[in-house]
Amino acid sequence: MIILEDVHYSYDGVYTALRGISLQVDDGERFAVIGANGAGKTTMIKHMNGLLRPQKGRVILDGQDTKFMSVAEIAREVGLVFQNPDHQLFLDSVKKEVEFGLRNIGFTESEAEQRRQKTLASLGLEGFAERSPFTLSGGERKRVALASVLSTEPRFLALDEPTIGQDAHQKNQLAQMLAEMNKRGRTVVVVTHDIEFVIENFPRTVAMADGQIIADGSTSMVLSNDEVIERCALAPPQMTLAARALRNVFPEVGQRLTLLSELEETIIGILGGA
Amino acid sequence: MALIEFADFSFKYLGADSLALKRIKLTIDEGEYVVITGPSGCGKTTFCRAINALVPQFHRGYVAGNVYTDGKNTRENEVATFASVAGLVFQNPENQLVTLDVEKEIAFGPENLGVAPNEIRRRVEELIELLDLEELREKHPHEMSGGEQQRVAIAATLALKPKVLVADEPTSNLDPQSAEAILKIIAHLNKRGMAVVLVEHRLDLVAKDASRIILMNKGRIVADGNPREILAMDLCEEIGVGVPKATQVYKRLRTRGVELGTVPLTGVELAELVQEATSR
């Protein structure tokens, strides 16, 4: 379990990036963190793996105050994938990049190779092992960065904008992989602007604005809140806009978060069945 | 003469085992708004780089065929020649900004090309107004939000008076509202006559602005045409293109025998089509 207790942080002593974050992350949870650029999302998850230390408040990992733990100790439990893969990748082949972390935490050469192959395949990166990350596209580099952390399968996974540059198919692959790890008991936290990805994959959503948490609860509840949509600089999903426009003419159309299949049935209903 | 012409162009990066672009043949004319989409690794970024000669002059490798931008062969003219024809904007604005303030950033390109100081002054003021940068005048780029940085990066690109803006996923690091603001600016620039080539996965956001969508897969162009025609094709789902939700609903209804006539690209368009269908 990770507990953030009234965490404050400022990068320069003038502008406060986090102003009193309190949050409990239970083992085996799966949740999304949303918010506008500059809301403090990245700063918050960097506190979860000890890259940043609170200037006021505490971060407690499995009952232990992380103040007394090294980054290496925390990182063994909490794996973080950065938003920009270029901040993370540094070796000259995809293979080395992914096996580096595995060897580091004590896997044997053959175990590391096996895990590397399996993870690359799950992320659609078969055949990339010998490539240099720097010859890959942005979306591919992002998946290599994900692979290097996901392959180690830490107890807590914190992913900063994992869907950037990924197409619909690759997003599904990633969602599936995260769901499988979650089933095996891993805790998954994602920071994202991708509302469709949140709706489809994460039961809990934490909304941040101006360095504070402004809502925390079930995804459908948090995303039905107009203040959250506004302060998190979210665009209402297309399905919500369609439902809203339909509601003006057909009052029977429901007033809440709408899934694609629901809208489909609603339209069939309006048009008198097919 | 086409603004951009790919004449049977192929390219393979040094050290790569397969071609990034395979025998690309197409032309893009002035005033078009072309969205390039396809699975990651399909060659979209390489396509953009080939327009302004970064491929093959900066990123080297095997080349066959030619690309002509504004009539000039990208293999035979210096990269600098193309800076004032095709302006590139990338995903990470922080990687593009080089100076310490907005005015200097916008002036940087034209200064390097030897544009006269009073002309530079004029361009800077015009772009500050066009991209709504007045409040950022005194701000250091690193104090700006991602959306603000991207607006500055676009202004700096436009300062060279390019004929085409080539933007490679310019909004994917931005929150949805900042992304929308950037896309509005790009659509506005297109309405004023500038050609746009935009790489984007999230067609929900851009399909409505585009005059043409080009679908790429494994280095090839697999479909090219009007957004509504292209997005109605089953090929999109087959190769993993993110079809707008409203278009997906249209397609699902179609398989159930409900024909809405026009292909919708947004939720509001979908709702309008349903209303029309009930009043028929």
Side-chain angles (χ1 to χ4, degrees):
Chain A
M1 183 164 48
I2 303 176
I3 297 173
L4 274 68
E5 242 178 41
D6 194 30
V7 170
H8 287 71
Y9 190 84
S10 167
Y11 286 94
D12 57 4
V14 181
Y15 173 73
T16 307
L18 294 183
R19 37 183 101 218
I21 295 289
S22 294
L23 179 73
Q24 178 170 329
V25 184
D26 286 328
D27 289 351
E29 258 203 291
R30 180 157 44 127
F31 73 94
V33 180
I34 62 170
N37 290 126
K41 306 181 299 290
T42 299
T43 310
M44 182 178 84
I45 64 166
K46 282 184 174 165
H47 278 81
M48 290 186 182
N49 89 330
L51 268 185
L52 295 177
R53 303 307 180 111
Q55 289 159 346
K56 192 184 147 207
R58 300 195 297 167
V59 177
I60 297 159
L61 174 62
D62 296 331
Q64 199 181 348
D65 191 332
T66 56
K67 197 178 347 179
F68 308 110
M69 299 168 76
S70 69
V71 183
E73 279 175 291
I74 305 170
R76 210 166 294 145
E77 304 295 326
V78 187
L80 175 68
V81 182
F82 293 97
Q83 174 171 355
N84 186 345
D86 299 341
H87 293 171
Q88 190 166 339
L89 303 175
F90 64 103
L91 292 167
D92 64 2
S93 82
V94 169
K95 182 180 159 185
K96 286 184 201 162
E97 196 65 67
V98 179
E99 288 182 11
F100 178 80
L102 288 164
R103 296 285 285 148
N104 238 353
I105 56 171
F107 282 100
T108 66
E109 211 175 310
S110 69
E111 284 167 342
E113 192 178 323
Q114 243 175 23
R115 281 191 166 238
R116 183 257 299 165
Q117 281 172 349
K118 194 170 155 248
T119 310
L120 290 182
S122 311
L123 288 171
L125 290 167
E126 308 95 329
F128 282 73
E130 305 299 333
R131 296 278 298 273
S132 159
F134 301 98
T135 67
L136 302 182
S137 77
E140 288 164 350
R141 279 205 301 280
K142 182 88 202 181
R143 274 179 289 145
V144 173
L146 282 163
S148 66
V149 174
L150 293 182
S151 63
T152 66
E153 223 178 311
R155 285 207 299 130
F156 296 91
L157 267 168
L159 314 177
D160 200 350
E161 294 285 0
T163 65
I164 285 181
Q166 305 304 318
D167 64 47
H169 177 62
Q170 290 152 350
K171 269 193 222 177
N172 288 340
Q173 275 185 327
L174 176 66
Q176 202 182 334
M177 203 173 165
L178 295 178
E180 280 164 17
M181 287 191 178
N182 185 238
K183 256 191 221 141
R184 289 197 290 269
R186 306 301 187 265
T187 305
V188 180
V189 183
V190 299
V191 165
T192 186
H193 291 308
D194 190 333
I195 286 309
E196 314 280 353
F197 189 68
V198 175
I199 294 171
E200 285 160 23
N201 300 294
F202 295 90
R204 175 182 172 196
T205 295
V206 172
M208 292 183 69
D210 302 322
Q212 292 178 317
I213 291 175
I214 58 166
D216 180 357
S218 80
T219 295
S220 61
M221 187 194 87
V222 171
L223 291 180
S224 307
N225 180 337
D226 282 345
E227 192 205 338
V228 169
I229 297 280
E230 182 54 38
R231 292 190 66 198
C232 292
L234 299 173
Q238 284 291 334
M239 291 302 89
T240 305
L241 292 175
R244 230 179 253 170
L246 282 174
R247 200 177 301 130
N248 291 336
V249 186
F250 308 102
E252 67 269 30
V253 177
Q255 171 105 32
R256 50 177 202 87
L257 214 67
T258 317
L259 294 173
L260 196 137
S261 55
E262 291 169 344
L263 193 70
E264 181 188 343
E265 293 310 323
T266 304
I267 292 175
I268 293 276
I270 289 172
L271 296 178
Chain B
M1 182 188 71
L3 182 57
I4 299 164
E5 180 183 2
F6 279 70
D8 209 2
F9 185 77
S10 300
F11 181 76
K12 184 161 81 87
Y13 289 98
L14 268 188
D17 10 280
S18 56
L19 290 165
L21 293 177
K22 291 176 192 159
R23 309 199 65 166
I24 304 290
K25 288 176 221 165
L26 65 82
T27 58
I28 294 173
D29 290 321
E30 288 187 19
E32 281 197 79
Y33 189 136
V34 182
V35 167
I36 315 266
T37 196
S40 93
C42 70
K44 304 182 297 287
T45 296
T46 309
F47 182 92
C48 291
R49 290 172 177 164
I51 292 174
N52 78 340
L54 283 178
V55 160
Q57 299 201 37
F58 179 73
H59 300 276
R60 294 184 174 274
Y62 161 85
V63 194
N66 292 291
V67 176
Y68 301 92
T69 296
D70 202 27
K72 297 182 197 80
N73 190 325
T74 58
R75 296 173 71 174
E76 292 166 2
N77 293 276
E78 282 178 43
V79 177
T81 324
F82 298 96
S84 53
V85 182
L88 257 67
V89 175
F90 303 95
Q91 193 181 101
N92 282 328
E94 54 173 350
N95 296 353
Q96 296 180 64
L97 302 178
V98 290
T99 66
L100 298 182
D101 74 57
V102 171
E103 293 177 23
K104 287 202 188 92
E105 191 65 41
I106 301 173
F108 184 79
E111 272 169 1
N112 279 338
L113 290 186
V115 175
N118 49 6
E119 169 61 15
I120 293 177
R121 196 69 253 147
R122 207 186 56 74
R123 289 187 195 179
V124 167
E125 293 309 317
E126 189 188 311
L127 288 164
I128 283 180
E129 189 180 333
L130 183 66
L131 291 167
D132 196 17
L133 301 173
E134 195 55 55
E135 290 161 34
L136 306 182
R137 231 185 244 268
E138 305 298 323
K139 242 183 179 177
H140 188 286
H142 296 113
E143 295 164 352
M144 295 176 198
S145 73
E148 289 170 346
Q149 286 180 351
Q150 194 60 290
R151 284 195 340 249
V152 175
I154 291 174
T157 303
L158 295 180
L160 296 170
K161 295 207 163 273
K163 293 185 176 174
V164 55
L165 181 70
V166 181
D168 189 356
E169 300 195 46
T171 68
S172 48
N173 283 339
L174 306 182
D175 63 54
Q177 282 178 10
S178 312
E180 211 166 90
I182 295 290
L183 293 169
K184 264 198 190 128
I185 289 167
I186 292 177
H188 176 68
L189 291 168
N190 176 250
K191 287 212 179 74
R192 291 179 18 143
M194 177 172 295
V196 171
V197 175
L198 178 80
V199 170
E200 184 58 68
H201 285 293
R202 295 170 300 169
L203 301 177
D204 262 339
L205 301 176
V206 298
K208 61 183 191 307
D209 295 330
S211 58
R212 176 177 172 190
I213 292 184
I214 294 176
L215 222 59
M216 293 185 73
N217 193 28
K218 298 182 179 157
R220 290 182 198 281
I221 289 174
V222 292
D224 179 354
N226 172 288
R228 291 176 209 276
E229 278 165 33
I230 299 288
L231 294 172
M233 293 165 70
D234 293 332
L235 178 67
C236 295
E237 284 80 6
E238 283 160 28
I239 65 173
V241 166
V243 175
K245 297 283 178 198
T247 316
Q248 286 183 36
V249 173
Y250 164 89
K251 289 167 124 172
R252 290 166 71 146
L253 291 170
R254 193 175 57 184
T255 61
R256 295 175 67 172
V258 177
E259 189 51 72
L260 287 177
T262 317
V263 182
L265 299 176
T266 66
V268 173
E269 279 182 13
L270 173 66
E272 283 167 5
L273 289 171
V274 172
Q275 284 167 36
E276 277 169 33
T278 55
S279 55
R280 272 206 294 267

